[in-house]
Amino acid sequence: MCGIIGYVGQKQAAPILIDGLKKLEYRGYDSSGIGIITLSDHKVVLRKTNGKIQNLEDLLKSHPVPESSLGISHTRWATHGVPNRINAHPHADCTGKILIVHNGIIENYEELKVMLIKKGHKFVSETDTEIVAHLIEEYYKDDLLKATRQAIKHLKGAFALGVISSDYPDLLIAARIGSPLIIGLGKNENFIASDVPAILEYTRKIIYLKDGQLASITKDKVQVFNFDGKLVVPKVDQVTLKIDAVKKQGFAHFMLKEIHEQPDVLRQMFHSRLKGNHVHLEDLKLADKELKNISRITIVACGTAYHAGMVGKYLIEALSGVPVTVDVSSEFRYRNPIVDRKTLVIAVSQSGETADTLAAVREAKRKGAKIVCVCNVIGSSLARESDGILYTHAGPEIGVASTKAYTAQLGMLYLLAIKLGTIHKFIARKEILKLVKGLKHVPMLFTEILKSKENIAQIARDNSHMGCFLFLGRNINYPSALEGALKLKEISYIPAEGYAAGEMKHGPIALIDEYRAVVCIAPESDTYDKMISNMQEIRARKGKVIAIATAGDKTISHHAPHVIYVPKTDKLLTPLLVVLPLQLIAYYIAVARGCDVDQPRNLAKSVTVE
Ligand code: AGP
């Protein structure tokens, strides 16, 4: 949700900032801007525009900025004020000397704005961000860092800030509460950024700024303080991410590349976590005895991660007998959840920065629960705030629609469920061993399905004109139906509903006619016959059925004009396989409709506001 990059050093700032913004474009892309302090006469120069970063690049070609080695820039996901040039960041104070970029929401901006207007400040934008520049101006006498520290003490909400001023042609200030911000350490140059890929080309030495920290950054010195001005010694991490991981590598879209990465992600996960038939989750930081004493589990997550959590509920209950509830993070926090010291809370999040999930975790912690996160981004806020961390190591996911992060979350939840099942001795050991064996085969089966992607693409194209889609599944594939629908609506903008198939006749059947397609997830299972009945009911009403079934199923084609087969596997493992055709259906429909697959409208990858 908004991307920030800032530079101070000896090189030209503008190309570095634009390059970094492109790597952060997944965070928001409705407008962007760059602000620099000129090298020759220390003047502020701003360039802002609506739309994607390409527009900013074009603007800089027609209106280049003078030489500069200090600057900040921003790609926006609008919260306050429409996406236009005026509301784009950076924002300036009345003097035009202080520039601000911001990620997050200033919740008390209205009262601060009223106060500042009374003091004579004039505002030009509708944003919450602009008040920060004016507030710093209000405190500024002769020390920008001090003024920034004084100003941010008045801010409520979440923020990551970058600040520069023409009075300080070699100083970059960074501050954070709630929204991610890193400092990249280079040689005679330093950076700030919302995420690692933005600065990976220049440095691998990173400081993850913590909540309540402020940094003073020049080209050869970085000092980190708490908001009371006390100097703190930051930890410097070495990032091992490969640059290729953030490139498309010949694929038409990041989403397609990430779909293809799934077999490898799972292969590596199972290789490193499954030693023989034993699951190794060292970073869980919970002894077997503690896991044995858990009386209930609550999973909190949002969006796709929530669907992974729902699959996790079916798995954990089936294998360990421990009751599991799954909550949308934003609901959990406000419903006074029953959580105690015997509750294990599992937070699932790709980014580890989702504000709702972080808030849910803090609420659960307050009530005494142990927190384990299933998370992809190393060093994220969620990872830092959890007692145990289960990193999925799926690599950077750039496509806004989550694909490999989902299968990696599923993979990790299978491992955790197997571990809990082993400890709780709820089902026979041979059942567990069968599942472990099946799990090890999944990456290979993924590769099998990918071989039939042209068939899936054709089915997708044939149905891309449909006005509405239903996705139906039962039991452990009910969450798969929800995920299929979410994927399609996110990137193709076709209204799509996911339902437990048994619910069809309780309402959604009213939607069905010849202009609707219904994706029926019907692998071999105890509810297979029931799925067939659903298909008959849909066809009786002229709906177009696209079935996802098990290879070798001889009868399914009598009930569905379009069938996508997935290899045979254990019933509990089917969510891992059926999601691949669901992702590909969404992808190829979006492509056929000419949609922006990697950067769908109105969305952002990392939702850092509640
Ligand atoms: C997935 O395709 C979505 N873009 C979205 O639902 C996402 O899964 C959700 O915002 C949660 O994000 P997180 O996993 O980073 O917490």
Side-chain angles (χ1 to χ4, degrees):
M1 223 141 252
C2 300
I4 290 174
I5 171 160
Y7 177 79
V8 57
Q10 293 177 324
K11 298 182 191 141
Q12 287 303 317
I16 292 172
L17 297 177
I18 292 295
D19 180 57
L21 279 187
K22 284 191 202 158
K23 310 262 170 51
L24 296 177
E25 200 165 14
Y26 68 88
R27 300 181 69 87
Y29 30 80
D30 58 44
S31 53
S32 59
I34 175 175
I36 53 116
I37 308 296
T38 58
L39 204 55
S40 55
D41 52 359
H42 304 168
K43 291 263 162 37
V44 163
V45 175
L46 267 178
R47 299 282 184 267
K48 310 203 283 189
T49 176
N50 60 349
K52 293 199 168 202
I53 291 158
Q54 183 60 52
N55 296 0
L56 184 62
E57 268 192 294
D58 294 344
L59 179 68
L60 285 169
K61 274 183 200 140
S62 56
H63 297 79
V65 291
E67 288 199 327
S68 162
S69 51
L70 174 67
I72 49 178
S73 62
H74 188 268
T75 180
R76 181 171 185 245
W77 184 88
T79 59
H80 299 65
V82 292
N84 61 19
R85 191 185 63 78
I86 303 236
N87 289 331
H89 302 210
H91 289 284
D93 68 330
C94 291
T95 65
K97 285 180 161 188
I98 300 171
L99 292 184
I100 296 285
V101 285
H102 165 224
N103 172 25
I105 288 183
I106 310 294
E107 283 166 6
N108 59 338
Y109 86 101
E110 274 177 330
E111 58 187 84
L112 291 171
K113 193 166 179 175
V114 169
M115 180 272 285
L116 288 162
I117 288 172
K118 277 191 193 144
K119 286 178 179 275
H121 291 262
K122 297 220 167 2
F123 290 84
V124 292
S125 79
E126 303 160 275
T127 65
D128 51 341
T129 305
E130 195 184 355
I131 63 113
V132 185
H134 290 266
L135 206 54
I136 295 174
E137 179 191 2
E138 194 56 33
Y139 282 105
Y140 180 56
K141 292 193 177 63
D142 53 6
D143 185 340
L144 185 66
L145 187 69
K146 189 172 168 198
T148 305
R149 193 158 48 76
Q150 287 171 315
I152 58 184
K153 280 189 170 178
H154 295 274
L155 306 180
K156 290 195 184 129
F159 56 82
L161 293 172
V163 184
I164 56 172
S165 161
S166 54
D167 285 348
Y168 296 81
D170 55 1
L171 176 66
L172 174 60
I173 295 175
R176 81 157 269 186
I177 281 192
S179 300
L181 198 63
I182 58 168
I183 301 170
L185 307 177
K187 202 166 175 226
N188 293 321
E189 59 183 4
N190 289 308
F191 309 79
I192 60 168
S194 299
D195 199 359
V196 175
I199 54 177
L200 203 56
E201 304 240 354
Y202 313 101
T203 181
R204 288 171 176 278
K205 278 162 78 181
I206 305 285
I207 295 172
Y208 291 91
L209 210 57
K210 291 187 181 151
D211 278 348
Q213 289 186 340
L214 176 85
S216 150
I217 305 162
T218 60
K219 70 177 167 41
D220 39 28
K221 190 169 180 188
V222 173
Q223 286 185 298
V224 179
F225 305 88
N226 64 24
F227 284 0
D228 292 326
K230 197 165 166 256
L231 202 60
V232 292
V233 182
K235 182 169 172 274
V236 179
D237 283 291
Q238 189 76 27
V239 181
T240 52
L241 198 65
K242 294 200 176 86
I243 288 178
D244 269 1
V246 292
K247 295 191 171 154
K248 281 193 206 149
Q249 294 175 316
F251 285 94
H253 298 97
F254 278 109
M255 183 180 176
L256 191 61
K257 174 191 168 226
E258 287 154 9
I259 286 174
H260 280 78
E261 284 172 347
Q262 294 178 111
D264 277 345
V265 168
L266 290 177
R267 196 171 287 121
Q268 276 167 28
M269 178 187 289
F270 299 151
H271 179 73
S272 62
R273 305 287 198 166
L274 280 171
K275 306 281 181 219
N277 293 318
H278 293 281
V279 175
H280 287 256
L281 302 174
E282 300 78 16
D283 303 337
L284 189 58
K285 300 265 167 59
L286 285 171
D288 288 3
K289 204 171 146 211
E290 286 178 278
L291 290 173
K292 178 88 186 153
N293 283 335
I294 285 164
S295 62
R296 76 167 86 202
I297 291 175
T298 292
I299 300 178
V300 291
C302 304
T304 286
Y306 171 72
H307 300 151
M310 284 181 76
V311 176
K313 171 186 165 68
Y314 283 92
L315 284 173
I316 295 170
E317 289 188 342
L319 299 188
S320 73
V322 179
V324 182
T325 52
V326 192
D327 268 84
V328 169
S329 306
S330 53
E331 288 298 316
F332 175 85
R333 186 188 174 189
Y334 296 107
R335 75 167 170 81
N336 193 17
I338 300 168
V339 168
D340 58 26
R341 290 180 183 281
K342 292 191 86 181
T343 310
L344 174 66
V345 170
I346 304 173
V348 187
S349 173
Q350 189 285 130
S351 61
E353 301 294 348
T354 301
D356 288 324
T357 302
L358 285 168
V361 159
R362 286 168 193 152
E363 175 64 7
K365 262 185 137 172
R366 202 180 61 77
K367 293 191 160 186
K370 279 257 181 265
I371 315 290
V372 167
C373 71
V374 174
C375 181
N376 190 33
V377 176
I378 312 223
S380 61
S381 302
L382 182 60
R384 286 204 302 271
E385 294 190 26
S386 300
D387 300 301
I389 312 168
L390 298 176
Y391 279 129
T392 53
H393 294 296
E397 192 179 64
I398 311 286
V400 166
S402 189
T403 53
K404 66 173 178 174
Y406 175 73
T407 45
Q409 286 158 356
L410 288 188
M412 190 52 80
L413 289 166
Y414 277 91
L415 295 173
L416 184 57
I418 289 169
K419 183 160 182 82
L420 288 166
T422 309
I423 292 169
H424 282 262
K425 297 194 172 65
F426 181 69
I427 60 165
R429 180 74 188 148
K430 70 170 193 309
E431 290 300 316
I432 300 257
L433 295 182
K434 208 169 93 196
L435 203 64
V436 170
K437 195 171 167 202
L439 205 52
K440 287 179 180 168
H441 273 104
V442 165
M444 194 183 73
L445 304 182
F446 250 74
T447 311
E448 281 298 305
I449 302 172
L450 281 171
K451 284 184 194 153
S452 67
K453 72 176 177 204
E454 199 30 59
N455 171 44
I456 301 172
Q458 194 53 51
I459 292 173
R461 286 191 283 268
D462 290 348
N463 289 280
S464 60
H465 60 286
M466 289 291 179
C468 158
F469 273 71
L470 266 183
F471 289 75
L472 303 179
R474 283 174 184 262
N475 200 275
I476 199 165
N477 280 309
Y478 161 41
S480 308
L482 297 179
E483 177 57 10
L486 177 66
K487 218 76 306 163
L488 183 68
K489 71 184 129 195
E490 268 190 305
I491 60 171
S492 74
Y493 320 135
I494 298 175
E497 297 258 27
Y499 265 93
E503 279 288 289
M504 185 179 82
K505 53 195 169 298
H506 298 289
I509 198 166
L511 292 173
I512 294 171
D513 62 22
E514 66 267 46
Y515 306 109
R516 320 289 161 196
V518 186
V519 179
C520 294
I521 304 166
E524 258 178 23
S525 73
D526 302 339
T527 53
Y528 176 81
D529 291 342
K530 298 266 183 293
M531 285 303 304
I532 296 293
S533 303
N534 284 128
M535 289 183 217
Q536 282 169 341
E537 289 156 8
I538 296 158
R539 296 193 69 203
R541 289 159 182 84
K542 299 196 176 128
K544 301 280 177 298
V545 175
I546 301 170
I548 300 179
T550 304
D553 181 336
K554 298 236 167 28
T555 53
I556 191 91
S557 57
H558 304 154
H559 306 288
H562 301 296
V563 184
I564 298 164
Y565 293 101
V566 295
K568 190 173 165 59
T569 185
D570 190 290
K571 288 169 207 160
L572 275 182
L573 294 174
T574 52
L576 273 170
L577 297 192
V578 301
V579 74
L580 184 49
L582 295 172
Q583 293 166 348
L584 289 167
I585 289 171
Y587 172 78
Y588 286 113
I589 288 180
V591 170
R593 292 168 72 98
C595 298
D596 189 341
V597 173
D598 283 335
Q599 291 169 352
R601 71 182 180 203
N602 302 339
L603 293 176
K605 182 77 187 158
S606 177
V607 185
T608 54
V609 293
E610 282 187 57

